[in-house]
Amino acid sequence: MAYSNAVREQFRNTLKEVEEAGLYKDERYICSEQGVEIVVEYPRGSKPIKVLNFCANNYLGLSSHPDVTAAARKGLEERGYGMSSVRFICGTQDLHNSLEKRIAEYLGKEDAILFSSCFDANAAIFEVLFDEKDVLLNDRLIHASLIDGIRLCSAQRDSYKNADVGHLEKKLEMWKPRARNICIVTDGVFSMDGILAPLDKIADLADRYGAMVLVDDSHATGFIGKTGRGTPEHFGVMDRIDIITTTLGKALGGASGGVVAGPREVTEMLRNRGRPYLFSNAVPPPIISAALRVIDLVSETTKLRDKLEWNARYFREKMDAAGFRLVPGETPIVPVMFGDAKLANDMARELLQEGIYVIGFSHPVVPMGKARIRVQLSAAHEKEHIDKAVDAFVKVGKKLGVIR
Amino acid sequence: MSDELKKKILEYIREEYLEDDSMELKDDTPLISSGIVDSFSMVSLKMYLEEELGIKMTDEEASTEAFDSVNSILVLVRKKLAEKK
Ligand SMILES: Cc1ncc(COP(=O)(O)O)c(C=O)c1O
């Protein structure tokens, strides 16, 4: 037993610092399935209340969709619960292969490879493809998992200001003579601001400087772009983005699973050398079966993403008219700005009492003085839900003096 | 010379790293530990100094501690300039 009192004390002090900085994560218990109308126990121990969920990544409303749960059940019944193996030993069913092919086709790429999560996909990819002869140029607001992946890799690295193509070009110019390969790394949609990376201009620069482009489209796959293929489709550059990483854990059913889609050599290298792929269990059959159904659903029609787009526009317009300050954009991620962290958190707490479940974000998750509530729309929201949310925002906003 | 050098470094950092002009930047503002300069892009500050001043810093010398404020950068850079002479 070396977990001495001194060690315990040390860890407790660290936790106290986390708490004092206002960063302690207090999990709220959901006592229902994921969806628009959920039952939440908060504060802990209080009587669970019915609220409308406006903070899930359930963009297409597929997390508890009857077709999806039915497909999961079918997968469970026909192919069992788990694989008890990594992919290359005895963890690959024919369905894993079918799903990879379907996703590749959906994203317009040669091939795709599944991971347990997009975090794992991002942790795997850089180390496999790049070394000290190469340079990775990343947007400064990329997701934590991309940062960790880049850290695991021996390539040289530099970053550019968020979505700033002028700054990116300077960096490309500077690094061009010093690199074998350059790869630009960005999120497709930045999840805290709900804005898009300018992939058309990034693709132009990539061509001009002979760089590759990797886009993490986790907050876009399934609904951004005319047919939901993601940010590259929105900018008309599907064939000019080399590698896409994305998740099954948000719009595409929301269970778990990550994807890398791109040239066949890339997926093959990952199958042979990607550490989170080689040394972690295969995605279980119920999820694979359900994900196949999800790909059907998002390929067959654009109904869900169209409704989501309508919902996002409707919510933005109403909130704008009510006098709230939003980060302008066209995604279903709608940051309502309060500046002050306490105000954002007070708003969120009072909104929950009004039956609207949203979360306040403050420093260091977002820059100092830019505290906000991030509202996320879903195709499962009906107009009445959105009206109710806006009414609650107006009521609480007036009470706290945010709007008049 | 020294003041000029300090001004140059401050200006470069302001231009390269600050998101908006309202942010305050002083000689002793923590750069890396505060997150103003992320460790990934510290390299461009190092390259800038090397090219601008004709010096070469090893990775050990250009540590995150040495680069954590304009003052500490100046200490390192002056040492390298003196070695050059
Ligand atoms: C941009 C981005 N990449 C990757 C991830 C991680 O995805 P997963 O939940 O599949 O690990 C997330 C989720 O938070 C994300 O927002």
Side-chain angles (χ1 to χ4, degrees), chain A residues 271-291:
Chain A
R271 266 182 228 286
N272 286 283
R273 289 195 172 163
R275 293 171 66 85
Y277 185 82
L278 290 171
F279 302 115
S280 183
N281 203 28
V283 179
I287 293 184
I288 299 294
S289 174

Side-chain angles (χ1 to χ4, degrees), chain A residues 28-40 49-59 61 63-64 308 311 315 332 351-352 354-359 373-382 385-386 388-389 393:
Chain A
R28 297 145 173 86
Y29 296 153
I30 314 288
C31 319
S32 60
E33 61 177 31
Q34 183 63 283
V36 168
E37 296 180 11
I38 57 171
V39 179
V40 182
I49 52 169
K50 256 200 192 154
V51 296
L52 296 178
N53 192 354
F54 278 88
C55 55
N57 302 315
N58 185 16
Y59 297 111
S63 305
S64 307
L308 175 62
N311 282 351
F315 178 76
L351 281 163
L352 190 69
E354 297 294 324
I356 304 300
Y357 187 11
V358 286
I359 298 277
I373 286 175
R374 179 180 71 173
V375 175
Q376 288 172 289
L377 282 303
S378 167
H381 286 130
E382 299 302 336
H385 297 133
I386 300 173
K388 191 169 171 224
F393 262 98

Side-chain angles (χ1 to χ4, degrees), chain A residues 67-144:
Chain A
D67 286 11
V68 178
T69 51
R73 213 169 292 121
K74 182 159 176 280
L76 180 68
E77 274 155 18
E78 292 177 5
R79 298 305 183 91
Y81 173 63
M83 292 311 295
S84 300
S85 170
V86 297
R87 289 285 299 274
F88 80 95
I89 296 180
C90 56
T92 303
Q93 291 179 331
D94 53 345
L95 295 185
H96 287 87
N97 177 56
S98 309
L99 180 59
E100 287 172 341
K101 295 283 165 303
R102 292 290 311 280
I103 292 176
E105 196 188 317
Y106 180 70
L107 295 175
K109 293 284 166 257
E110 277 175 28
D111 196 17
I113 173 172
L114 282 169
F115 288 80
S116 301
S117 67
C118 187
F119 202 109
D120 275 355
N122 289 340
I125 191 161
F126 299 102
E127 190 193 22
V128 168
L129 301 182
F130 305 103
D131 65 29
E132 44 288 286
K133 297 187 201 70
D134 307 312
V135 174
L136 301 171
L137 293 181
N138 68 271
D139 187 289
R140 286 189 184 155
L141 289 192
I142 52 169
H143 189 257

Side-chain angles (χ1 to χ4, degrees), chain A residues 117-119 122 143 145 187 216 218-219 247 250 257:
Chain A
S117 67
C118 187
F119 202 109
N122 289 340
H143 189 257
S145 53
D187 289 11
D216 177 338
S218 290
H219 284 277
T247 183
K250 301 188 196 297

